[in-house]
Structures are given as structure tokens and as C-alpha cells.
Amino acid sequence: MQPASRMNQIPPYLFLELDKLVAKQRQLGRDVISLGIGDPDRPTIPAALDTLKEAVNNPDTHRYPNYLGSEAFRESVSHWYHERFGVDLEPRSEVLALIGSKEGIAHLIWAMAGPGDVVLVPDPCYPVYYTQSILAGAEPYSLPLTQENQFLPDLKAIPEDVWKRAKMLWLNYPNNPTGAVATREFYQEAIDFCRKYDVLLCSDGAYLDIGFDGYRAPSVLELPGAKDIAMEFYSLSKPFNMTGWRIAAAVGNPQAIGLLGTMKSNLDSGPFTAIQDAARATLDSHPVPFIQSMNALYQERRDLAVQALHNMGIAISKPQSTFYLWFRAPFGMTSQEATNYFVQFADVVITPGEAYGKQGAGWLRISLTIDTPRLEEGLERMARALRHHPPA
Ligand SMILES: *Cc1c(COP(=O)(O)O)cnc(C)c1O
């Protein structure tokens, strides 16, 4: 069997060696703690559960959903954007339901970019922007996110001819994997560039509702005129502990929303109607107190993890958002050396920074979506390993 040649262009799977090591430790009967995956460990918001139970008993929800999402769901998203960000969205033309934002991100790339087109992609980043650009035959152009630049891309450094060939600019703040946040000034600069070169600004807002020490992230759509050139992905996965439900929305620029809708109507239907109903109940429930309680929990975990890393001699400042900590591998190890080391000597799984792009080399990411005592134990084991088995 010969797969399509495009399949050969997907970058190699970096976790292969790590997965083998983890399997080996587990075979030896070791209790391996994973700090690798960003997937909330706490129960889903109760409003969603109650509504889902009722909705599944209604056979009307069992039929094909509307391609674009129910009008009621799109209205709820519109109300929520007004309540949360002060942004007005026209539900029919500026909101689209998604089966999780991952599919929306992938399909928007297919709708916007192909051979000869450039897609501006941060490095490090959520890998889907990069791999789908390649699969679609477009050329991803890397925007390095460096510590010196607060992990914001230097848009002025992009050559004019690249801007002219670019179709989309991907931004993701609060940022996975670095935990960085964007200022309004930065968004304004991005909007100005995108308007000048007629590039669609795509904001991945997976972590918009995560914030610590009183920080609340802005939506790019809060900026005046943003809708002329920008759209945003809003996912219920991370703020409401609903990753498995697969429900999100694309909002903003009506032309981009329309294109994504056309793409989707040719390959899937909307999310299960009962899940849209549950998502609607979530957004209509004025869920800020739930969001705050989750943020308080992640903030507590962030603080204890940052302290533990400091005690190991690892320099890291406290991120204002996301449930990730991003830091350089200790003792000058490469990412892969460090992740292998911690599996072998601490039975702890950490994500190597390279999984998010070349700029991630030498960096590590740990996730705070694990029961607090397990997180503490994982960190203690890491500290013990560094004491008893100092890396060469
Ligand atoms: C988790 C995550 C997503 C995927 O969210 P879903 O809505 O569950 O598909 C998208 N972007 C980033 C940056 C993420 O971390």
C-alpha cells in the first residue's frame, strides 16, 4: 500500500523514543507520573452535565446537526463574547460551531492556503498550524518566539516578499507551550500588518479564560476594526474541562467564517446537537465563578511547581496564564536528553520543547493538569533524581 506522498511530509514523531522508555518503565512495574499532557483533570462544569442528560433523551438531537451549528448555540457564543470581552458578533455570519477547535484550525488552513502560499507560523507552536500548512501544500514560514521578545513574534522582521505571499498569520495567546500573553499594542501591530498585506489574522484562543493574579486575557476582536481582518478560535475544552466533548466556535471576520463553513459543509456535520445544547447551557450560566475556581486551582499548582523548580536550580518566572510551565532543560541537557533522563531516573514524563518547533530545542514543558499531590510527588522525584543521579 502506498500512501499519498504528502504523508511523507509530516514531521517525524518525536515521542517515539520517549514512549518506548515509558513503556519499559511501566513493564518494570514502575509508577510513572505524566506531566506531559495538557488535559484538565477536574470534572466538567455541572451546567453542561445536567443539560446533556436531558438533551440526549430528546430524539430531535439524534439527527444530523446543522453544518454551521444550531442558531441557539451561535447566539450563546455571541452573548458570551459580549459578556466576557465586550465584543459584538452577528450569530449567523460571524459565529460557526466546531467539533473542537483543532478541526477548525486544520480546515481553515485548507480553505485559505495552498501551493505558492505562505502561512506565518510561530515557533514554538501548537503543531497543527505547521503540519496542516504542509499537508495543504502551502509553505509555513517560522516566526521565532524568543524569551528576549517575551515570546511574541517580531513582525517587523518578516521580509516584505514573504508578507506579500502570506495568506494567514497564526497567533496563540495566552500561548501554548510558553505560557506567554499578548498585549493590546502587539495585537494592534499585528492587525495593522495584516491589513496592509491582506493577510487573515487567526487567533487561537484556547486559553483566553485562564488567568492568574487577576490577569484576564483580551480577545483580538476587542481591538477596533479587528473584524475586518481577524478571526478567533474559542474552545470550551480548556476553561470548562470539556476536552473530550469536542466543542468550540470560530468567530469574527465573516468572510473567513463563511469559507470555513463551506469547507466544513463538504466534509462533516455540526457537533452533536445535545453537546451544542450543553455548551449553550455552559455559556449561558454566567460561568465566571467556575472559571475563577479553576484558575485558583491552577494558580496554586503553578506556585508550588515554580517553587519546586527554583529549588532544583531551574530559572523560571511565573506565567500569567495557561496551565503550562516552559523552562530550559537543567545541566545544559538537550530536550530529549532531559525527558529521557526524567523518565529513567524519576519515572516522570515531561514534554520535550522540540515537539513544538525548532526554537523549542533545549526547552521543556510541564503541564499542571494533574491532581495536586501527584504533581508534588512528580516534582519531588525530579529533585531527588537530580541530587542522586546528577546528569553527566
Ligand atoms: C488544546 C489546544 C487546542 C485544541 O482545542 P480543542 O478545541 O479541544 O480542539 C487548540 N489550540 C491550542 C493552542 C491548544 O493548546
Side-chain angles (χ1 to χ4, degrees), residues 54-66 271-274 277:
E54 260 175 58
V56 288
N57 287 325
N58 175 1
D60 287 350
T61 68
H62 302 177
R63 313 192 69 192
Y64 280 120
N66 183 310
F272 180 26
T273 303
D277 289 351

Side-chain angles (χ1 to χ4, degrees), residues 213-386:
D213 311 315
Y215 176 77
R216 291 188 79 186
S219 159
V220 72
L221 300 176
E222 287 176 33
L223 281 103
K227 243 192 259 171
D228 297 346
I229 203 71
M231 58 79 62
E232 191 158 77
F233 289 93
Y234 182 85
S235 174
L236 282 84
S237 288
K238 311 286 164 59
F240 302 115
N241 306 336
M242 293 174 78
T243 49
W245 294 54
R246 314 311 301 132
I247 182 80
V251 299
N253 180 273
Q255 201 192 342
I257 300 301
L259 280 165
L260 182 52
T262 303
M263 193 73 194
K264 278 176 62 59
S265 60
N266 283 286
L267 55 84
D268 60 27
S269 295
F272 180 26
T273 303
I275 287 178
Q276 291 189 59
D277 289 351
R280 191 151 63 88
T282 298
L283 298 178
D284 291 350
S285 72
H286 305 292
V288 168
F290 181 86
I291 289 171
Q292 286 171 338
S293 69
M294 287 309 305
N295 283 337
L297 176 66
Y298 293 136
Q299 185 172 323
E300 182 191 312
R301 291 176 182 172
R302 176 201 67 170
D303 289 347
L304 74 85
V306 164
Q307 185 59 52
L309 291 171
H310 281 174
N311 294 346
M312 290 176 225
I314 293 170
I316 178 174
S317 50
K318 287 182 179 179
Q320 285 177 285
S321 179
T322 77
F323 35 62
Y324 303 115
L325 297 180
W326 179 251
F327 52 93
R328 280 187 205 280
F331 291 89
M333 286 186 280
T334 67
S335 307
Q336 310 252 20
E337 282 165 358
T339 48
N340 290 346
Y341 168 85
F342 284 118
V343 169
Q344 206 176 344
F345 294 108
D347 291 317
V348 170
V349 181
I350 299 180
T351 312
E354 271 134 319
Y356 306 95
K358 288 196 179 76
Q359 294 289 327
W363 292 79
L364 301 172
R365 192 196 78 174
I366 68 172
S367 167
L368 305 172
T369 53
I370 178 170
D371 200 31
T372 310
R374 286 289 277 176
L375 174 64
E376 283 178 303
E377 182 178 347
L379 291 159
E380 270 167 33
R381 287 190 197 169
M382 287 167 66
R384 220 178 300 140
L386 290 172

Side-chain angles (χ1 to χ4, degrees), residues 100-102 105 126 129 172 176 204 206-207 235 237-238 246 248 324:
S101 54
K102 188 175 186 177
I105 291 166
Y126 183 63
Y129 321 139
N172 163 224
N176 175 11
D204 180 350
Y207 301 93
S235 174
S237 288
K238 311 286 164 59
R246 314 311 301 132
Y324 303 115

Side-chain angles (χ1 to χ4, degrees), residues 107-153:
H107 293 142
L108 184 62
I109 292 170
W110 283 85
M112 286 295 300
D117 297 330
V118 163
V119 179
L120 301 170
V121 176
D123 177 0
C125 75
Y126 183 63
V128 181
Y129 321 139
Y130 183 85
T131 47
Q132 289 297 337
S133 298
I134 293 207
L135 286 175
E139 185 188 322
Y141 182 87
S142 287
L143 312 178
L145 305 186
T146 62
Q147 196 167 26
E148 303 79 74
N149 277 346
Q150 286 78 48
F151 301 110
L152 295 170

